[in-house]
């Protein structure tokens, strides 16, 4: 939300992220690769003005999670495809400058499109988790490194967006749900620092000083979360069902529970549930 940069009062979060890194880098070098497409949805909207021009984030995993084939080969998932191309080009640009880049995290700011839909706001956690899973898999291939535990920081859409989109609080809750069920996803709620921030602009975008703070908060969460990890429990489902829990940070001897839902035509058996320990 609010990644607009063609107006003097707006900017993206990368400036605040870079500022925070410059003061808290502990001698490390960081780079930022940005891709943004305003007013884009994860669900397969092909008719809204921005999506019809630039596409949406309907990645293969999202389509599979919803069980609905893409509507348009050119529009459906185009944002996702361009995102992968941008990351690939960005990594190559760093390599040409003599660096050996490693992807350490991803910041996600989105959700206003789903906030206007009763149907897709209620499915937002499914949409977002499926998209993150695809990102981890495809970025692993692009970067040639294992990013199955890539840390994703989600900036929750502001509560004040409720005045525009009826289901804002539903999406906010689902953003927290993803973080609760994935040890490598955390959320940042900027409302306590940016009360009524959207009212300073067009009610859709952050004023530049607010976006500066938002970027700093995103990077602070990323650095602090990576310094305070517990043991991580991962649940991997093969074909035939889903788990509402992907992974979770847990203390030793803590009981972790999940709900397993068989796909149509499948059933759970003792033989289908296998526990493995990892040294």
């Amino acid at each position: 939300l609010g990644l607009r940069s063609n107006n003097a009062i707006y900017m993206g979060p990368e400036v605040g992220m870079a500022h925070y890194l410059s003061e808290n880098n502990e001698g490390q070098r960081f780079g930022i690769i940005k891709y943004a497409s305003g007013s884009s949805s994860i669900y397969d909207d092909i008719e809204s003005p921005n999506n019809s021009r630039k596409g949406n984030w309907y990645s293969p995993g999202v389509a599979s999670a919803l069980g609905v084939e893409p509507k348009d080969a050119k529009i459906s998932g185009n944002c996702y495809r361009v995102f992968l191309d941008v990351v690939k080009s960005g990594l190559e640009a760093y390599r040409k400058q003599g660096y050996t880049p490693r992807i350490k995290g991803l910041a996600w700011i989105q959700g206003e499109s789903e906030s206007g839909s009763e149907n897709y706001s209620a499915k937002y956690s499914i949409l977002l988790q499926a998209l993150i899973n695809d990102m981890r898999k495809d970025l692993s291939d692009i970067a040639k490194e294992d990013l199955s535990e890539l840390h994703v920081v989600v900036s929750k859409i502001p509560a004040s967006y409720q005045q525009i989109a009826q289901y804002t609080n539903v999406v906010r809750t689902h953003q927290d749900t993803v973080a609760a069920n994935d040890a490598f996803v955390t959320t940042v709620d900027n409302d306590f620092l940016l009360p009524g921030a959207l009212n300073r602009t067009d009610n859709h975008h952050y004023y530049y000083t607010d976006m500066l703070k938002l970027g700093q908060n995103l990077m602070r969460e990323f650095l602090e979360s990576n310094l305070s990890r517990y043991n991580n429990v991962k649940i991997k489902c093969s074909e035939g069902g889903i788990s509402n829990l992907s992974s979770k940070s847990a203390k030793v001897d803590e009981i972790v529970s999940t709900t397993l839902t068989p796909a149509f035509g499948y059933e759970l058996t003792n033989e289908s549930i296998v526990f493995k320990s990892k040294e």
Side-chain angles (χ1 to χ4, degrees):
L1 182 79
L3 299 184
R4 191 170 168 183
S5 59
N6 61 348
N7 187 302
I9 66 172
Y10 304 123
M11 70 177 183
E14 67 275 6
V15 179
M17 296 168 71
H19 180 264
Y20 190 85
L21 282 172
S22 68
E23 296 187 344
N24 299 274
N25 60 13
E26 297 182 355
Q28 300 182 70
R29 290 181 179 270
F30 292 92
I32 296 174
I33 300 173
K34 174 186 174 181
Y35 172 68
S37 181
S39 303
S40 54
S41 66
I42 303 178
Y43 74 95
D44 199 14
D45 174 13
I46 64 173
E47 298 177 356
S48 64
N50 195 71
N51 283 356
S52 63
R53 292 193 307 270
K54 298 183 179 181
N56 56 50
W57 292 87
Y58 202 65
S59 67
V62 176
S64 177
L66 293 184
V68 180
E69 291 294 319
K71 298 175 183 177
D72 188 300
K74 293 183 178 180
I75 298 175
S76 303
N78 192 58
C79 280
Y80 181 67
R81 293 188 291 271
V82 175
F83 159 75
L84 295 178
D85 288 341
V86 169
V87 174
K88 184 176 181 179
S89 297
L91 293 175
E92 184 59 31
Y94 282 123
R95 293 188 185 103
K96 288 181 179 179
Q97 296 180 49
Y99 298 108
T100 304
R102 294 285 182 268
I103 298 177
K104 306 301 287 187
L106 185 146
W108 180 254
I109 308 178
Q110 187 271 344
E112 74 273 27
S113 295
E114 286 76 13
S115 297
S117 166
E118 181 179 10
N119 181 22
Y120 290 109
S121 63
K123 298 177 179 177
Y124 190 81
S125 57
I126 297 174
L127 299 172
L128 182 56
Q129 186 65 68
L131 180 62
I132 289 174
N133 292 344
D134 273 353
M135 288 176 168
R136 287 170 172 160
K137 176 176 65 69
D138 292 332
L139 289 177
S140 292
D141 293 338
I142 290 172
K144 295 180 174 55
E145 58 179 311
D146 181 7
L147 297 174
S148 60
E149 297 180 349
L150 178 68
H151 184 199
V152 179
V153 181
V154 177
S155 178
K156 294 173 63 175
I157 58 174
S160 60
Y161 201 65
Q162 181 76 23
Q163 60 190 327
I164 296 175
Q166 181 179 356
Y167 304 102
T168 291
N169 287 331
V170 176
V171 171
R172 284 170 55 84
T173 297
H174 276 257
Q175 289 174 322
D176 283 332
T177 296
V178 174
N181 292 328
D182 190 316
F184 302 98
V185 176
T186 52
T187 57
V188 174
D189 193 344
N190 296 285
D191 278 2
F192 72 103
L193 286 177
L194 313 173
L198 298 186
N199 296 331
R200 301 177 64 180
T201 58
D202 58 1
N203 291 323
H204 290 279
H205 298 88
Y206 288 114
Y207 193 67
Y208 74 95
T209 54
D210 298 317
M211 184 59 89
L212 180 67
K213 295 177 183 177
L214 188 152
Q216 292 171 334
N217 291 344
L218 280 171
M219 193 53 66
R220 180 185 299 109
E221 175 62 29
F222 169 71
L223 292 180
E224 291 182 355
S225 295
N226 276 274
L227 293 175
S228 57
R229 287 292 180 201
Y230 294 112
N231 297 311
N232 294 308
V233 177
K234 298 181 67 176
I235 297 177
K236 181 178 181 181
C237 290
S238 58
E239 181 180 358
I242 61 173
S243 166
N244 75 320
L245 181 67
S246 170
S247 58
K248 182 179 178 63
S249 294
K251 298 179 181 179
V252 175
D253 296 328
E254 179 180 350
I255 296 175
V256 176
S257 61
T258 186
T259 299
L260 302 176
T261 305
F264 181 78
Y266 290 81
E267 65 178 8
L268 283 175
T269 65
N270 290 336
E271 293 77 16
S272 67
I273 303 176
V274 178
F275 296 94
K276 292 185 178 180
S277 62
K278 184 177 181 180
E279 294 297 333

